[in-house]
Amino acid sequence: MTAQRNAPKVSGYLQSKRSRFLVSDRAIRFKCSLQNTILDVLNHRPGWEEAQGDAEWDFFWCDREWLMQNYDTMFLMEHQKILHFRNHYELTRKNLMVKNLKRLKKCTEREQGKQEGQNFDFFPTTFELPSEYHIFVEEFKKNPGIIWIMKPAAKSQGRGIFLFRKLKDITDWRKGEYQPVSELRDGPELYVVQRYIENPYLIGGRKFDIRVYVLVLSYNPLKVWLYRDGFARFSNTRFSLDSIEDTYVHLTNVSIQKTAPDYDPERGCKWSTGKLRKYLTAKHGVEAVKSLFRSIDNMIVKCLQSVQKIMINDKHCFEVYGYDILLDSHLKPWLIEINASPSLTASGLDDYQLKYGLLNDLLSVLDLENRLTGQEKRIGGWDLLWNDGPVLSDETNGNSLHQNVTTSEYLANSFLGCHNDRKKQLKELYTYSSYVKKNQ
């Protein structure tokens, strides 16, 4: 452990032909608002050290609340990097996400035709409540008997979500007291109501969704990296529409599933996307799975384009998004939500290894050490998906799956990750970090 912490400082790390400034020889100084995997990564990255108190910093992994309170009063030096764009919520609040996607879809249909607009057919019919309540009621009456799902617009981890079939259920909800929204404005808490996907793809009789990690370095021009690995989160209980009140059946959030009476923390409820892709390929064939992940690529880019013109772009900012995607029984992907603060707390050793690798490689992409040429398409587990346009991969390796395809089709390949000695090191670090957290 201490060998990594006491690694030699990076000498003159900001001095290069691409730099417009000079910094004397010293370590890269970081601040971090979280006490989980990202802090482990930062503490054990050679040439980095934590900035104490109000000391100057080069890199800040801040939380959203801190950014909201301080962004407008900050002056950032040329080299400083900070997590989150100022108005990240345009994509990560459920109501605003759908509003922006609907707007871009209408614009696309108007300028390019209805057929192009079909590329946006990846989110369920959605209404914002209470503002669109009467429009929702009209739609509800057109489709009697189907299931709808209610979600708070600004909450995460499955909090406040419920399913219903009858309009009186929503009427009863309307009569209840709304909680104020403090992030953006005071007033009634906003909800979205969506048509529930009643035919999810099942494995072992259980519902699951896929977590995909996306890194945005810039919105103008749009520059997007896609992490090659992720995971599928399974429900703990077999799927059924007989009991729509059972959250263990219908919600795949780990924060909910781990409270199930029969939840096994050793076994967990996750698959790597590599394992999922192998399963789907064996069952449906290579072409069907390639088509599926191309659709996910399209979804990722369209979502980012929907907010590209309204996002407050800042070269100091970057964003790590967690896309949650559901498959239906026809292998069609549906966007569930996009998280601006995807959980970095590991649920087990495999999860820790995945997130540690993701974050360590992310720091390499950000390149505060100035080691890159700027022409890279692949850095660690990250592939360049979009750079003011689609990016093609140079990877061939004699494998037909890797020839003449966009880098994004590497999405679900097995995590290339670690050699045995690296795995051993991460296991020790995970064990040590877990011990420290329990005894703080």
Side-chain angles (χ1 to χ4, degrees), residues 406-421:
T406 60
T407 52
S408 47
E409 288 181 14
Y410 297 118
L411 171 65
N413 287 354
S414 298
F415 177 47
L416 303 180
C418 317
H419 299 296
N420 287 336
D421 56 342

Side-chain angles (χ1 to χ4, degrees), residues 67-98:
L67 190 78
M68 293 287 290
Q69 295 171 9
N70 296 278
Y71 179 90
D72 293 332
T73 63
M74 289 189 300
F75 173 79
L76 296 177
M77 301 295 289
E78 180 81 13
H79 66 285
Q80 288 179 298
K81 289 288 185 182
I82 189 167
L83 178 65
H84 300 309
F85 289 90
R86 173 65 176 81
N87 56 338
H88 61 82
Y89 48 78
E90 290 286 350
L91 193 59
T92 57
R93 283 176 61 96
K94 300 176 185 68
N95 57 325
L96 297 180
M97 178 191 77
V98 172

Side-chain angles (χ1 to χ4, degrees), residues 247-309:
T247 55
Y248 299 132
V249 172
H250 300 283
L251 303 183
T252 57
N253 310 72
V254 175
S255 56
I256 289 177
Q257 294 299 328
K258 68 182 182 181
T259 65
D262 56 345
Y263 177 76
D264 183 353
E266 295 296 324
R267 183 164 169 257
C269 290
K270 289 183 179 179
W271 270 13
S272 71
T273 44
K275 184 175 182 179
L276 174 65
R277 184 163 188 164
K278 289 178 182 178
Y279 176 91
L280 295 175
T281 300
K283 194 163 185 178
H284 301 281
V286 171
E287 291 304 318
V289 176
K290 286 175 67 176
S291 177
L292 163 63
F293 284 101
R294 285 195 199 102
S295 297
I296 294 177
D297 299 341
N298 168 71
M299 176 191 300
I300 291 169
V301 173
K302 288 290 187 290
C303 288
L304 298 172
Q305 288 175 334
S306 74
V307 297
Q308 187 176 6
K309 292 183 179 180

Side-chain angles (χ1 to χ4, degrees), residues 4 28 37 47 77 94 133 143 159 184 256 271 312 328 360 430:
Q4 285 281 12
I28 299 175
T37 312
M77 301 295 289
K94 300 176 185 68
Y133 177 76
N143 300 276
R159 290 174 295 177
L184 289 179
I256 289 177
W271 270 13
I312 301 172
D328 69 17
N360 197 44
Y430 172 68

Side-chain angles (χ1 to χ4, degrees), residues 27 37 65 73 104 112 146 226 296 306 354 374 385 420 425 435:
T37 312
E65 291 73 19
T73 63
L104 184 57
Q112 303 179 42
I146 69 170
L226 183 66
I296 294 177
S306 74
L354 183 153
L385 169 63
N420 287 336
Q425 183 184 31
Y435 171 80

